[in-house]
Amino acid sequence: QKEVEQNSGPLSVPEGAIASLNCTYSDRGSQSFFWYRQYSGKSPELIMSIYSNGDKEDGRFTAQLNKASQYVSLLIRDSQPSDSATYLCAVNRGGGADGLTFGKGTHLIIQP
Amino acid sequence: NAGVTQTPKFRILKIGQSMTLQCAQDMNHNYMYWYRQDPGMGLKLIYYSVGAGITDKGEVPNGYNVSRSTTEDFPLRLELAAPSQTSVYFCASSREGGALNEQFFGPGTRLTVL
């Protein structure tokens, strides 16, 4: 059973600080990794994708991938109250099958 | 460009009833997916399709059926509703498959089976 693990939180971060969200995955063959943001009662929204080891930056967001450690992280700089949401880590299923395997999500609260 | 649309937004079913959840996309994406999300849980893949006429099972296909007669539409059928199917259902689509499948989600259908 391929798994994606996240700390469910809540993770509380002061406004303006850096929020750090972490994710581990079990399948060494996974090739692509995604971070989705989900507001309460809404659908997931893709915010970052990463395919290679290292860092990928997009505005205030940085995704980090370490395939040797099977670890993905998302950093949010200058956190804003509007960043308060659940962040879902997702990994491609691989093995010729399409679709994503999702973690349960980390609930992030940005304190004004 | 409406993206991915789903109908209905909400539905209450009685045990044993049937219904079809509709999903459509106007981005000309070949790949489409159905997920369910239970409270406090991640999304679970039900079925997916890599193009018109081609569908395959995901992690939790039991109790559901799908068809894909056009590129745009990917309906999900529940034949005999059970309380365990109470969930929020999301449809998604992507331009690419495999490792490059950045998926875009519809607004969801909240289903309650009583």
mmCIF file of all heavy atoms in Angstrom, chain B residues 58-100:
data_model
loop_
_atom_site.group_PDB
_atom_site.id
_atom_site.type_symbol
_atom_site.label_atom_id
_atom_site.label_comp_id
_atom_site.label_asym_id
_atom_site.label_seq_id
_atom_site.Cartn_x
_atom_site.Cartn_y
_atom_site.Cartn_z
ATOM 1 N N GLY B 58 -9.500 2.915 -9.658
ATOM 2 C CA GLY B 58 -8.539 3.491 -8.736
ATOM 3 C C GLY B 58 -8.461 2.656 -7.472
ATOM 4 O O GLY B 58 -8.585 1.434 -7.509
ATOM 5 N N GLU B 59 -8.279 3.327 -6.333
ATOM 6 C CA GLU B 59 -8.115 2.630 -5.054
ATOM 7 C C GLU B 59 -9.420 2.090 -4.493
ATOM 8 O O GLU B 59 -9.447 1.066 -3.828
ATOM 9 C CB GLU B 59 -7.538 3.598 -4.024
ATOM 10 C CG GLU B 59 -6.170 4.163 -4.334
ATOM 11 C CD GLU B 59 -5.791 5.204 -3.291
ATOM 12 O OE1 GLU B 59 -5.511 4.814 -2.142
ATOM 13 O OE2 GLU B 59 -5.783 6.405 -3.611
ATOM 14 N N VAL B 60 -10.545 2.822 -4.699
ATOM 15 C CA VAL B 60 -11.804 2.477 -4.033
ATOM 16 C C VAL B 60 -12.958 2.441 -5.028
ATOM 17 O O VAL B 60 -13.922 3.199 -4.927
ATOM 18 C CB VAL B 60 -12.100 3.468 -2.881
ATOM 19 C CG1 VAL B 60 -11.134 3.256 -1.729
ATOM 20 C CG2 VAL B 60 -12.049 4.927 -3.374
ATOM 21 N N PRO B 61 -12.940 1.521 -6.023
ATOM 22 C CA PRO B 61 -13.963 1.535 -7.078
ATOM 23 C C PRO B 61 -15.286 0.852 -6.729
ATOM 24 O O PRO B 61 -16.286 1.043 -7.428
ATOM 25 C CB PRO B 61 -13.271 0.772 -8.203
ATOM 26 C CG PRO B 61 -12.386 -0.202 -7.481
ATOM 27 C CD PRO B 61 -11.919 0.518 -6.247
ATOM 28 N N ASN B 62 -15.300 0.041 -5.654
ATOM 29 C CA ASN B 62 -16.491 -0.764 -5.383
ATOM 30 C C ASN B 62 -17.708 0.105 -5.096
ATOM 31 O O ASN B 62 -17.666 1.018 -4.282
ATOM 32 C CB ASN B 62 -16.232 -1.695 -4.196
ATOM 33 C CG ASN B 62 -15.235 -2.786 -4.538
ATOM 34 O OD1 ASN B 62 -14.961 -3.040 -5.702
ATOM 35 N ND2 ASN B 62 -14.676 -3.409 -3.507
ATOM 36 N N GLY B 63 -18.821 -0.217 -5.775
ATOM 37 C CA GLY B 63 -20.066 0.517 -5.595
ATOM 38 C C GLY B 63 -20.255 1.642 -6.594
ATOM 39 O O GLY B 63 -21.270 2.342 -6.551
ATOM 40 N N TYR B 64 -19.291 1.813 -7.497
ATOM 41 C CA TYR B 64 -19.334 2.900 -8.474
ATOM 42 C C TYR B 64 -19.093 2.362 -9.883
ATOM 43 O O TYR B 64 -18.488 1.315 -10.063
ATOM 44 C CB TYR B 64 -18.250 3.947 -8.175
ATOM 45 C CG TYR B 64 -18.259 4.478 -6.768
ATOM 46 C CD1 TYR B 64 -17.437 3.917 -5.796
ATOM 47 C CD2 TYR B 64 -19.066 5.548 -6.408
ATOM 48 C CE1 TYR B 64 -17.432 4.398 -4.495
ATOM 49 C CE2 TYR B 64 -19.069 6.044 -5.117
ATOM 50 C CZ TYR B 64 -18.251 5.461 -4.169
ATOM 51 O OH TYR B 64 -18.244 5.943 -2.886
ATOM 52 N N ASN B 65 -19.591 3.125 -10.868
ATOM 53 C CA ASN B 65 -19.286 2.846 -12.263
ATOM 54 C C ASN B 65 -19.081 4.162 -12.991
ATOM 55 O O ASN B 65 -19.629 5.198 -12.595
ATOM 56 C CB ASN B 65 -20.419 2.067 -12.932
ATOM 57 C CG ASN B 65 -20.305 0.585 -12.677
ATOM 58 O OD1 ASN B 65 -19.303 -0.039 -13.019
ATOM 59 N ND2 ASN B 65 -21.327 0.015 -12.069
ATOM 60 N N VAL B 66 -18.304 4.096 -14.066
ATOM 61 C CA VAL B 66 -18.054 5.294 -14.863
ATOM 62 C C VAL B 66 -18.168 4.951 -16.340
ATOM 63 O O VAL B 66 -18.134 3.785 -16.731
ATOM 64 C CB VAL B 66 -16.652 5.900 -14.607
ATOM 65 C CG1 VAL B 66 -16.548 6.460 -13.187
ATOM 66 C CG2 VAL B 66 -15.563 4.874 -14.881
ATOM 67 N N SER B 67 -18.282 6.006 -17.140
ATOM 68 C CA SER B 67 -18.225 5.887 -18.594
ATOM 69 C C SER B 67 -17.575 7.154 -19.120
ATOM 70 O O SER B 67 -17.577 8.185 -18.453
ATOM 71 C CB SER B 67 -19.618 5.705 -19.183
ATOM 72 O OG SER B 67 -20.445 6.804 -18.842
ATOM 73 N N ARG B 68 -17.012 7.070 -20.294
ATOM 74 C CA ARG B 68 -16.388 8.264 -20.902
ATOM 75 C C ARG B 68 -16.646 8.201 -22.413
ATOM 76 O O ARG B 68 -15.870 7.650 -23.174
ATOM 77 C CB ARG B 68 -14.879 8.267 -20.625
ATOM 78 C CG ARG B 68 -14.158 9.503 -21.166
ATOM 79 C CD ARG B 68 -13.973 10.544 -20.129
ATOM 80 N NE ARG B 68 -13.317 11.732 -20.627
ATOM 81 C CZ ARG B 68 -11.990 11.924 -20.636
ATOM 82 N NH1 ARG B 68 -11.170 10.969 -20.208
ATOM 83 N NH2 ARG B 68 -11.474 13.055 -21.061
ATOM 84 N N SER B 69 -17.768 8.753 -22.814
ATOM 85 C CA SER B 69 -18.135 8.710 -24.232
ATOM 86 C C SER B 69 -17.586 9.909 -24.999
ATOM 87 O O SER B 69 -17.454 9.855 -26.226
ATOM 88 C CB SER B 69 -19.659 8.634 -24.399
ATOM 89 O OG SER B 69 -20.271 9.728 -23.738
ATOM 90 N N THR B 70 -17.262 10.996 -24.300
ATOM 91 C CA THR B 70 -16.695 12.175 -24.949
ATOM 92 C C THR B 70 -15.476 12.648 -24.152
ATOM 93 O O THR B 70 -15.302 12.282 -22.983
ATOM 94 C CB THR B 70 -17.691 13.346 -25.023
ATOM 95 O OG1 THR B 70 -17.965 13.805 -23.681
ATOM 96 C CG2 THR B 70 -18.996 12.920 -25.688
ATOM 97 N N THR B 71 -14.657 13.489 -24.749
ATOM 98 C CA THR B 71 -13.509 14.056 -24.033
ATOM 99 C C THR B 71 -13.973 14.930 -22.879
ATOM 100 O O THR B 71 -13.340 14.990 -21.830
ATOM 101 C CB THR B 71 -12.645 14.901 -24.990
ATOM 102 O OG1 THR B 71 -12.153 14.048 -26.027
ATOM 103 C CG2 THR B 71 -11.463 15.527 -24.264
ATOM 104 N N GLU B 72 -15.111 15.607 -23.050
ATOM 105 C CA GLU B 72 -15.550 16.614 -22.088
ATOM 106 C C GLU B 72 -16.197 16.041 -20.827
ATOM 107 O O GLU B 72 -16.099 16.635 -19.762
ATOM 108 C CB GLU B 72 -16.551 17.574 -22.746
ATOM 109 C CG GLU B 72 -15.973 18.446 -23.842
ATOM 110 C CD GLU B 72 -15.796 17.687 -25.147
ATOM 111 O OE1 GLU B 72 -16.451 16.628 -25.333
ATOM 112 O OE2 GLU B 72 -14.988 18.127 -25.991
ATOM 113 N N ASP B 73 -16.879 14.900 -20.927
ATOM 114 C CA ASP B 73 -17.738 14.448 -19.835
ATOM 115 C C ASP B 73 -17.260 13.146 -19.211
ATOM 116 O O ASP B 73 -16.832 12.229 -19.923
ATOM 117 C CB ASP B 73 -19.174 14.259 -20.357
ATOM 118 C CG ASP B 73 -19.750 15.545 -20.909
ATOM 119 O OD1 ASP B 73 -19.893 16.495 -20.125
ATOM 120 O OD2 ASP B 73 -20.020 15.602 -22.127
ATOM 121 N N PHE B 74 -17.406 13.057 -17.893
ATOM 122 C CA PHE B 74 -16.964 11.852 -17.169
ATOM 123 C C PHE B 74 -17.911 11.640 -15.995
ATOM 124 O O PHE B 74 -17.602 11.966 -14.849
ATOM 125 C CB PHE B 74 -15.524 12.034 -16.696
ATOM 126 C CG PHE B 74 -14.886 10.789 -16.145
ATOM 127 C CD1 PHE B 74 -15.094 9.541 -16.713
ATOM 128 C CD2 PHE B 74 -14.020 10.871 -15.060
ATOM 129 C CE1 PHE B 74 -14.492 8.404 -16.220
ATOM 130 C CE2 PHE B 74 -13.392 9.731 -14.548
ATOM 131 C CZ PHE B 74 -13.637 8.500 -15.132
ATOM 132 N N PRO B 75 -19.102 11.063 -16.234
ATOM 133 C CA PRO B 75 -20.066 10.868 -15.148
ATOM 134 C C PRO B 75 -19.715 9.688 -14.252
ATOM 135 O O PRO B 75 -19.131 8.699 -14.707
ATOM 136 C CB PRO B 75 -21.377 10.614 -15.902
ATOM 137 C CG PRO B 75 -20.954 10.068 -17.230
ATOM 138 C CD PRO B 75 -19.627 10.706 -17.552
ATOM 139 N N LEU B 76 -20.096 9.793 -12.989
ATOM 140 C CA LEU B 76 -19.890 8.741 -11.992
ATOM 141 C C LEU B 76 -21.259 8.237 -11.551
ATOM 142 O O LEU B 76 -22.106 9.009 -11.119
ATOM 143 C CB LEU B 76 -19.129 9.290 -10.787
ATOM 144 C CG LEU B 76 -18.882 8.322 -9.624
ATOM 145 C CD1 LEU B 76 -17.847 7.266 -10.013
ATOM 146 C CD2 LEU B 76 -18.421 9.078 -8.373
ATOM 147 N N ARG B 77 -21.451 6.941 -11.627
ATOM 148 C CA ARG B 77 -22.740 6.335 -11.316
ATOM 149 C C ARG B 77 -22.668 5.561 -10.001
ATOM 150 O O ARG B 77 -21.755 4.751 -9.806
ATOM 151 C CB ARG B 77 -23.135 5.381 -12.450
ATOM 152 C CG ARG B 77 -24.446 4.634 -12.252
ATOM 153 C CD ARG B 77 -25.611 5.471 -12.682
ATOM 154 N NE ARG B 77 -26.876 4.731 -12.557
ATOM 155 C CZ ARG B 77 -28.058 5.310 -12.471
ATOM 156 N NH1 ARG B 77 -28.162 6.640 -12.521
ATOM 157 N NH2 ARG B 77 -29.157 4.584 -12.360
ATOM 158 N N LEU B 78 -23.638 5.830 -9.108
ATOM 159 C CA LEU B 78 -23.826 5.027 -7.905
ATOM 160 C C LEU B 78 -25.087 4.213 -8.117
ATOM 161 O O LEU B 78 -26.167 4.777 -8.310
ATOM 162 C CB LEU B 78 -24.014 5.907 -6.663
ATOM 163 C CG LEU B 78 -22.805 6.567 -6.039
ATOM 164 C CD1 LEU B 78 -22.263 7.690 -6.900
ATOM 165 C CD2 LEU B 78 -23.129 7.077 -4.642
ATOM 166 N N GLU B 79 -24.974 2.886 -8.079
ATOM 167 C CA GLU B 79 -26.127 2.054 -8.408
ATOM 168 C C GLU B 79 -27.021 1.784 -7.213
ATOM 169 O O GLU B 79 -28.223 1.894 -7.303
ATOM 170 C CB GLU B 79 -25.653 0.731 -9.017
ATOM 171 C CG GLU B 79 -25.054 0.859 -10.387
ATOM 172 C CD GLU B 79 -26.060 1.296 -11.439
ATOM 173 O OE1 GLU B 79 -27.275 1.290 -11.169
ATOM 174 O OE2 GLU B 79 -25.625 1.670 -12.551
ATOM 175 N N LEU B 80 -26.488 1.391 -6.105
ATOM 176 C CA LEU B 80 -27.259 1.069 -4.900
ATOM 177 C C LEU B 80 -26.597 1.809 -3.736
ATOM 178 O O LEU B 80 -25.665 1.303 -3.118
ATOM 179 C CB LEU B 80 -27.257 -0.439 -4.640
ATOM 180 C CG LEU B 80 -28.010 -1.312 -5.633
ATOM 181 C CD1 LEU B 80 -27.708 -2.788 -5.392
ATOM 182 C CD2 LEU B 80 -29.526 -1.059 -5.499
ATOM 183 N N ALA B 81 -27.087 3.003 -3.467
ATOM 184 C CA ALA B 81 -26.423 3.851 -2.487
ATOM 185 C C ALA B 81 -26.404 3.214 -1.097
ATOM 186 O O ALA B 81 -27.412 2.628 -0.653
ATOM 187 C CB ALA B 81 -27.097 5.215 -2.437
ATOM 188 N N ALA B 82 -25.267 3.357 -0.418
ATOM 189 C CA ALA B 82 -25.080 2.858 0.942
ATOM 190 C C ALA B 82 -24.562 3.992 1.824
ATOM 191 O O ALA B 82 -23.915 4.919 1.303
ATOM 192 C CB ALA B 82 -24.101 1.696 0.942
ATOM 193 N N PRO B 83 -24.822 3.940 3.140
ATOM 194 C CA PRO B 83 -24.330 5.014 4.019
ATOM 195 C C PRO B 83 -22.820 5.236 3.911
ATOM 196 O O PRO B 83 -22.353 6.364 4.099
ATOM 197 C CB PRO B 83 -24.729 4.525 5.414
ATOM 198 C CG PRO B 83 -25.941 3.684 5.172
ATOM 199 C CD PRO B 83 -25.680 2.987 3.853
ATOM 200 N N SER B 84 -22.066 4.168 3.596
ATOM 201 C CA SER B 84 -20.603 4.296 3.468
ATOM 202 C C SER B 84 -20.197 5.181 2.289
ATOM 203 O O SER B 84 -19.024 5.575 2.188
ATOM 204 C CB SER B 84 -19.967 2.919 3.307
ATOM 205 O OG SER B 84 -20.462 2.290 2.141
ATOM 206 N N GLN B 85 -21.137 5.485 1.400
ATOM 207 C CA GLN B 85 -20.840 6.348 0.266
ATOM 208 C C GLN B 85 -21.114 7.826 0.558
ATOM 209 O O GLN B 85 -20.956 8.676 -0.321
ATOM 210 C CB GLN B 85 -21.622 5.891 -0.967
ATOM 211 C CG GLN B 85 -21.159 4.524 -1.457
ATOM 212 C CD GLN B 85 -21.972 4.024 -2.631
ATOM 213 O OE1 GLN B 85 -23.199 3.940 -2.558
ATOM 214 N NE2 GLN B 85 -21.300 3.664 -3.698
ATOM 215 N N THR B 86 -21.527 8.115 1.781
ATOM 216 C CA THR B 86 -21.636 9.512 2.213
ATOM 217 C C THR B 86 -20.247 10.126 2.193
ATOM 218 O O THR B 86 -19.334 9.642 2.867
ATOM 219 C CB THR B 86 -22.236 9.592 3.627
ATOM 220 O OG1 THR B 86 -23.585 9.134 3.585
ATOM 221 C CG2 THR B 86 -22.188 11.021 4.155
ATOM 222 N N SER B 87 -20.070 11.173 1.400
ATOM 223 C CA SER B 87 -18.752 11.744 1.197
ATOM 224 C C SER B 87 -18.870 12.999 0.331
ATOM 225 O O SER B 87 -19.959 13.342 -0.131
ATOM 226 C CB SER B 87 -17.845 10.717 0.505
ATOM 227 O OG SER B 87 -16.504 11.146 0.495
ATOM 228 N N VAL B 88 -17.749 13.654 0.120
ATOM 229 C CA VAL B 88 -17.667 14.721 -0.878
ATOM 230 C C VAL B 88 -16.914 14.157 -2.078
ATOM 231 O O VAL B 88 -15.827 13.591 -1.917
ATOM 232 C CB VAL B 88 -16.956 15.968 -0.342
ATOM 233 C CG1 VAL B 88 -16.924 17.056 -1.418
ATOM 234 C CG2 VAL B 88 -17.646 16.492 0.913
ATOM 235 N N TYR B 89 -17.497 14.305 -3.246
ATOM 236 C CA TYR B 89 -16.935 13.745 -4.460
ATOM 237 C C TYR B 89 -16.357 14.862 -5.328
ATOM 238 O O TYR B 89 -17.043 15.846 -5.636
ATOM 239 C CB TYR B 89 -18.001 12.975 -5.234
ATOM 240 C CG TYR B 89 -18.428 11.726 -4.522
ATOM 241 C CD1 TYR B 89 -19.389 11.755 -3.512
ATOM 242 C CD2 TYR B 89 -17.844 10.495 -4.822
ATOM 243 C CE1 TYR B 89 -19.763 10.618 -2.833
ATOM 244 C CE2 TYR B 89 -18.211 9.346 -4.154
ATOM 245 C CZ TYR B 89 -19.171 9.410 -3.160
ATOM 246 O OH TYR B 89 -19.527 8.268 -2.490
ATOM 247 N N PHE B 90 -15.098 14.691 -5.704
ATOM 248 C CA PHE B 90 -14.425 15.662 -6.560
ATOM 249 C C PHE B 90 -14.035 15.023 -7.884
ATOM 250 O O PHE B 90 -13.498 13.916 -7.926
ATOM 251 C CB PHE B 90 -13.154 16.187 -5.887
ATOM 252 C CG PHE B 90 -13.410 17.061 -4.692
ATOM 253 C CD1 PHE B 90 -13.197 16.587 -3.416
ATOM 254 C CD2 PHE B 90 -13.848 18.368 -4.862
ATOM 255 C CE1 PHE B 90 -13.425 17.392 -2.305
ATOM 256 C CE2 PHE B 90 -14.074 19.186 -3.761
ATOM 257 C CZ PHE B 90 -13.864 18.687 -2.484
ATOM 258 N N CYS B 91 -14.297 15.746 -8.941
ATOM 259 C CA CYS B 91 -13.839 15.384 -10.267
ATOM 260 C C CYS B 91 -12.641 16.260 -10.598
ATOM 261 O O CYS B 91 -12.570 17.430 -10.176
ATOM 262 C CB CYS B 91 -14.961 15.613 -11.271
ATOM 263 S SG CYS B 91 -14.550 15.249 -12.978
ATOM 264 N N ALA B 92 -11.672 15.719 -11.317
ATOM 265 C CA ALA B 92 -10.485 16.481 -11.691
ATOM 266 C C ALA B 92 -10.082 16.127 -13.111
ATOM 267 O O ALA B 92 -10.483 15.073 -13.642
ATOM 268 C CB ALA B 92 -9.329 16.189 -10.733
ATOM 269 N N SER B 93 -9.302 16.997 -13.726
ATOM 270 C CA SER B 93 -8.795 16.703 -15.063
ATOM 271 C C SER B 93 -7.352 17.174 -15.176
ATOM 272 O O SER B 93 -6.899 18.032 -14.401
ATOM 273 C CB SER B 93 -9.652 17.373 -16.141
ATOM 274 O OG SER B 93 -9.450 18.774 -16.166
ATOM 275 N N SER B 94 -6.630 16.592 -16.120
ATOM 276 C CA SER B 94 -5.251 17.015 -16.369
ATOM 277 C C SER B 94 -4.941 16.880 -17.849
ATOM 278 O O SER B 94 -5.502 16.027 -18.537
ATOM 279 C CB SER B 94 -4.253 16.209 -15.533
ATOM 280 O OG SER B 94 -4.275 14.849 -15.872
ATOM 281 N N ARG B 95 -4.008 17.720 -18.313
ATOM 282 C CA ARG B 95 -3.621 17.660 -19.713
ATOM 283 C C ARG B 95 -2.762 16.420 -19.978
ATOM 284 O O ARG B 95 -2.901 15.752 -20.988
ATOM 285 C CB ARG B 95 -2.822 18.911 -20.093
ATOM 286 C CG ARG B 95 -2.465 19.012 -21.574
ATOM 287 C CD ARG B 95 -1.554 20.208 -21.826
ATOM 288 N NE ARG B 95 -2.072 21.422 -21.232
ATOM 289 C CZ ARG B 95 -3.011 22.161 -21.781
ATOM 290 N NH1 ARG B 95 -3.537 21.835 -22.936
ATOM 291 N NH2 ARG B 95 -3.433 23.248 -21.158
ATOM 292 N N GLU B 96 -1.855 16.155 -19.025
ATOM 293 C CA GLU B 96 -0.930 15.049 -19.178
ATOM 294 C C GLU B 96 -1.272 13.946 -18.193
ATOM 295 O O GLU B 96 -1.942 14.174 -17.190
ATOM 296 C CB GLU B 96 0.507 15.511 -18.906
ATOM 297 C CG GLU B 96 0.975 16.674 -19.758
ATOM 298 C CD GLU B 96 1.433 16.230 -21.129
ATOM 299 O OE1 GLU B 96 1.596 15.020 -21.335
ATOM 300 O OE2 GLU B 96 1.611 17.112 -21.996
ATOM 301 N N GLY B 97 -0.739 12.759 -18.435
ATOM 302 C CA GLY B 97 -0.861 11.675 -17.478
ATOM 303 C C GLY B 97 0.492 11.346 -16.899
ATOM 304 O O GLY B 97 1.449 12.126 -17.043
ATOM 305 N N GLY B 98 0.600 10.209 -16.247
ATOM 306 C CA GLY B 98 1.868 9.771 -15.694
ATOM 307 C C GLY B 98 2.436 10.755 -14.697
ATOM 308 O O GLY B 98 1.734 11.255 -13.833
ATOM 309 N N ALA B 99 3.707 11.054 -14.832
ATOM 310 C CA ALA B 99 4.386 11.889 -13.853
ATOM 311 C C ALA B 99 4.052 13.364 -13.984
ATOM 312 O O ALA B 99 4.364 14.151 -13.096
ATOM 313 C CB ALA B 99 5.900 11.706 -13.970
ATOM 314 N N LEU B 100 3.435 13.768 -15.061
ATOM 315 C CA LEU B 100 3.189 15.197 -15.293
ATOM 316 C C LEU B 100 1.735 15.583 -15.079
ATOM 317 O O LEU B 100 1.285 16.599 -15.582
ATOM 318 C CB LEU B 100 3.611 15.571 -16.714
ATOM 319 C CG LEU B 100 5.090 15.365 -17.035
ATOM 320 C CD1 LEU B 100 5.371 15.722 -18.480
ATOM 321 C CD2 LEU B 100 5.962 16.211 -16.110
#
